[in-house]
Amino acid sequence: MVDFAARTERLDAYLEERGLEAVWFARPNGFAWLTGGDNVVDADADVGVAAAGYDGALRVITDNIEAERLAEEELPDAVAVESFPWHADSLAEAVAERSPAPGAADFDVPGFERVDGSRLRQPLTDDDVERYRELGREVAAAVETVCRNLEPEDPEYEVAAGIDISLASRDVDTPVVLVGGAERAERFRHYTPSDATLGDYALVSVTAERAGLYASMTRTVAFDAPDWLEERHRAAARVEATALAATEAAAAGELTDGGDGADDVPDTAGDVFDAIREAYDAVGFADEWRKHHQGGAAGFAGREWIAMPDGDEPVRRPMGYAWNPTVQGAKSEDTHLVAADRTETLTKTGQWPTHEVEPVDVDGVPTEPRELTAPVIR
C-alpha cells in the first residue's frame, strides 16, 4: 500500500517552492510512484494511458476506454478517476483543460513546466522499502533458478526467454535481460542475447520491474572458467564493495570530509564516482571505468541517476543502489538498500555463493569486508 501522506507532503513542498497549483505524472514510473497503480497498455510508449495528479487532492485523468478498469483494478478508492472521450482530446490536452494552473508535468502538457520526478521519488519511504525487499527476493529467485540449470550448449536467447518466463510467473516485468556467453561477454559490455551458445561461461544481467520499482543483478556461471575470470571478477567485486562503502559514507555526509564531520556540504554522486575511479586504479584496471557506466541510485527507475564525474545528485537514504562495475569479461552487480542503520542486499536468496570482498582503501571510505555475489564454477 502506498504511503500517500509521505508523497503528498513532498508534493506540497514542491508546489510551494515552485509557486505551482498542480503537478502531474503520466510516465509509468511516476504514475506508479504516486498511485501504486499501472498506467501501461503499450509497453513501447514513454507515456501511459492515464495521468496522476496532485493539486491538494489526488486524482487521475484518463480516457473513457480505461477509466473503469483503472478504478477497479489499479487504483485505491482514495484516488478519484476522471474520464474524457477517447476521440475528443489527447491526455495532455485533457490535463491542461482540467488542472489548476500554473502546473508541472513529467510529460509535454501545453503551458506546463516539466517536473523532475526522480528528485521527488528520493529517498524511498517505508512502504517502498518493504515492497522493494519482496521484489529483490523474487528477482533473485527467478534468475538464480534459471542460472543453476544452464548448460554450455544453451543458446543465449533461450536463456533470456527462460528468465522472462520465470519472472513473468512472479508478476515481474523484464525491461532488460542480457545474456552473454564466453565469446560475446568478453567482447561486449551490453551482451544482448543472440543465437550463440554459452560455451565456457556466461554472464546473465537483469533489470526487472514491478509496481514501478526496479531491481538489477548479474550472475556469473562458468563451466570451464577462463584463467583470468576469477581475477577480473574479484577486481570488479572490490570496485562494487568500494562503491557501496562510499555510498554509505556519502549518505551520512562523511565522504568528502574524511569522516570527521567537518564539511557540511552534501556529498554527491560525483563524490562516489571519484571513489570508484580510485578503486579501479587500485585493483590494477585503471581505464576500465571508461568502458561502461558504473550504476548508481535505483528505485522507481532502473537508475534514478548514474554516477558521473562531477555529478551533483545528492546521495540519500534509505535508497536503493545498484553499482555494476565491469572488468573485461566480468561484472559484479546487485541491488542494495542503504539505510541509516543498515545496508542489505535486496537481490539475494541465500542460495547463491558469496565471497568476502574488501573495499579499496580510499580516503573517507570504510574498509570493512562485504559479502558479495561470487561466480558459480561448475
Side-chain angles (χ1 to χ4, degrees):
M1 183 66 179
V2 171
D3 185 348
F4 290 114
R7 279 146 170 74
T8 56
E9 182 178 355
R10 291 186 193 179
L11 294 176
D12 281 331
Y14 171 78
L15 295 177
E16 182 176 358
E17 176 188 353
R18 305 289 298 185
L20 301 173
E21 296 295 326
V23 59
W24 292 87
F25 302 89
R27 294 185 178 276
N29 55 353
F31 187 93
W33 171 75
L34 183 55
T35 68
D38 185 352
N39 69 343
V40 175
V41 171
D42 179 356
D44 285 337
D46 292 334
V47 174
V49 296
Y54 178 71
D55 56 8
L58 289 169
R59 56 196 180 109
V60 163
I61 293 176
T62 188
D63 63 37
N64 63 301
I65 302 172
E66 308 297 340
E68 184 178 3
R69 178 183 64 84
L70 291 178
E72 289 188 8
E73 297 182 350
E74 296 292 344
L75 300 170
D77 292 340
V79 179
V81 179
E82 304 173 20
S83 68
F84 60 91
W86 68 266
H87 55 84
D89 293 305
S90 69
L91 181 60
E93 290 168 341
V95 168
E97 290 173 2
R98 295 164 182 251
S99 171
D106 69 351
F107 67 120
D108 291 332
V109 175
F112 281 42
E113 65 179 63
R114 291 300 287 265
V115 58
D116 181 0
S118 180
R119 293 290 179 112
L120 290 169
R121 296 190 297 264
Q122 300 176 60
L124 300 172
T125 58
D126 290 345
D127 62 300
D128 297 331
V129 168
E130 288 306 313
R131 289 185 290 118
Y132 217 167
R133 288 192 178 110
E134 183 180 353
L135 172 64
R137 289 191 296 268
E138 296 274 20
V139 173
V143 174
E144 290 176 5
T145 296
V146 173
C147 286
R148 278 193 289 268
N149 291 285
L150 296 182
E151 298 295 341
E153 62 272 16
D154 291 339
E156 294 168 350
Y157 68 80
E158 287 189 4
V159 176
I163 290 170
D164 282 333
I165 292 168
S166 186
L167 282 164
S169 70
R170 294 166 165 82
D171 191 28
V172 178
D173 292 328
T174 48
V176 179
V177 180
L178 304 178
V179 179
E183 179 182 352
R184 297 179 67 252
E186 189 178 3
R187 294 180 59 202
F188 306 121
R189 306 295 163 132
H190 285 159
Y191 27 88
T192 53
S194 75
D195 60 0
T197 57
L198 300 182
D200 290 344
Y201 87 105
L203 296 184
V204 177
S205 300
V206 169
T207 294
E209 178 270 335
R210 183 168 66 191
L213 288 165
Y214 290 75
S216 299
M217 60 179 287
T218 293
R219 293 295 181 263
T220 304
V221 179
F223 312 103
D224 185 10
D227 294 340
W228 47 260
L229 181 61
E230 183 176 355
E231 177 195 6
R232 293 184 192 176
H233 183 92
R234 170 69 66 168
R238 290 198 70 196
V239 176
E240 185 188 9
T242 306
L244 192 57
T247 303
E248 294 168 348
E254 298 174 347
L255 180 56
T256 57
D257 60 23
D260 61 10
D263 184 0
D264 61 359
V265 177
D267 294 336
T268 66
D271 297 323
V272 178
F273 184 86
D274 290 342
I276 290 172
R277 189 160 45 186
E278 287 189 50
Y280 271 107
D281 187 56
V283 300
F285 294 93
D287 290 330
E288 284 293 295
W289 66 268
R290 301 179 185 275
K291 310 293 180 59
H292 189 260
H293 76 77
Q294 303 304 304
F300 285 88
R303 300 294 187 272
E304 293 283 12
W305 47 255
I306 290 174
M308 295 185 182
D310 302 319
D312 63 356
E313 298 88 351
V315 179
R316 299 181 175 180
R317 62 186 185 189
M319 196 66 202
Y321 291 91
W323 300 107
N324 49 256
T326 60
V327 174
Q328 184 179 9
K331 184 177 184 179
S332 185
E333 176 187 28
D334 275 293
T335 301
H336 305 272
L337 175 73
V338 175
D341 58 343
R342 68 194 179 283
T343 294
E344 59 186 278
T345 303
L346 298 176
T347 46
K348 180 179 180 180
T349 63
Q351 304 301 311
W352 195 268
T354 61
H355 53 173
E356 191 174 85
V357 181
E358 290 186 4
V360 168
D361 188 7
V362 175
D363 188 33
V365 176
T367 56
E368 290 82 2
R370 309 293 173 120
E371 286 293 326
L372 298 180
T373 300
V376 163
I377 311 295
R378 291 173 49 185

